[in-house]
Amino acid sequence: MYKKLFSQTIIYGLSNVLVRVFPFILTPMLVKAFGPAKYSIYADFYSAAGIISVLLTHGMETTFFRFFQKFKDNASRQNTVYYTSLTSVFIVSIAFLFFGISARQPLAKAFKHPDEVNFLVWFLFILAADAMSAVPFAKLRIENKAIHFASLKIMNSVVMFLLTVILIFWIPNQINNNGWGSGFFIKIYNFEYGIGYAFAANLIASIITFAALLPTILNGSYKFDTSLWEKMLTYAWPITIAGLAGIINETMDRQFIKYLLPEGKAEIEMGIYSAVYKIATFITLFKTAYLLGVEPFFFSHAGEKNSGKTYATLMKYFSIFSAVILLFLVANLDWIGRLYIRNSDYWSGFKVVPILLIGSTFLGIYLNLSIWYKLSDKTHYGALISCIGAFITILFNYLGLKYTNLGYWACAYATLFSYFTMMLISYLWGQKYYSIPYNHRKLIFYIGGSTILSLLSYYLSNSIIVRTLVGNILFMLFIYVTLKIEYKDVAIFKAKINTILQSRKK
């Protein structure tokens, strides 16, 4: 059981790392080429992408998992579940695309980018294509086709990365330095697009990925069940609300910056904040990889006798790895940040990163805890929790940005308190309605301890050398104490490895 989960999580994890590595590499290239004001255009569009994507998929990925497992002994009904969820997403996505293109001018103006209508249209197609790919990707996951899933995700990321580099950096260099001025490229290339070519690259990659998924989309006998669709929507709408609220917590703070800060300052603050926020991607990588592998596992093992104990064990190790990653990143933030973002115009934002990293850690714990309302079909509780988090986010961002001089610090504090509150409420309600025997003392020690040590190591000194030295000492101390606490499990793991090695020698 654990072997299968581990192998799939490794595949999902490696693919997720590779998928995120290319945008992660691309960010310092973009921030070096474009200042905060220009980069903010790119960040602005993508900060709105999440909330639109949630509306387009409207919870059908998780709903597909749930209903697919309900009919695990009936392949025909599973096929109906697949095409019913797929059709639902297709209808919404096509309608969105039609109305979005029809209203592109007022939309661009309302979004405060009236001169970027072309970028907006490309962006609408990106969102629609990605949404229509969501359920086919979910089907690959539930059918345990991890390698197929991973290869398509990696392909998408590689194509987008290469095209962005070619369109933004390579072609202009050839035109300017190698005499292409009278050739084909100068006739079709528009230097004024600048960072907008990143949208073009993303669009091409999304279209190619959707085309590669066509065999999965068409692999089955099409059947749409209206009564089943109604039941699925009943299950899905709280997930959609939770998703919307979650996206408000994750990305909508950029929109608050844009609309609440003075023009000029808003673009610079958004650019800096969005760039340094990328450093929190390290924790997001681990969280996403884990959830990709574990969510189907949770659903498929929900009815087993010791499922609660299994979930508790997984939570413990998730907490340990999250705590270790958090402490390492904070301890080495100064040199990692400068190595990653080489444009000093952005370095003033590094001090806010520990707060964002801690908030991302709380989010990971919350998402792990959230399995209780999915397994007990109480998804409306998930919606309520996320709405509470969204309310905190909106309140902190509004008050902090409008009535104080905190700037993007208000966004970081909003993220921290929102995720902490969601994590706490989910735990309390989860133990009431779907009790899981978590080891509370260890969870509090690992997450609470790493949080306190991170704050102490980074904010007690203004010296980069002192922060790095103290932070790494505390990091090694935390590793040592954790190994002492978990020595029994470590000993068992070592024994298994030794057994495997000895059997191979024989």
Side-chain angles (χ1 to χ4, degrees), residues 60 63-64 67 80-82 84-85 227-237:
M60 278 296 154
T63 303
F64 167 72
F67 280 78
T80 303
V81 168
Y82 171 60
T84 299
S85 56
S227 61
L228 175 64
W229 184 49
E230 292 174 355
K231 294 177 182 178
M232 294 177 76
L233 287 177
T234 301
Y235 181 88
W237 75 260

Side-chain angles (χ1 to χ4, degrees), residues 328-340:
F328 174 80
L329 289 176
V330 173
N332 298 282
L333 174 60
D334 290 301
W335 68 265
I336 289 175
R338 283 164 175 76
L339 183 65
Y340 179 61

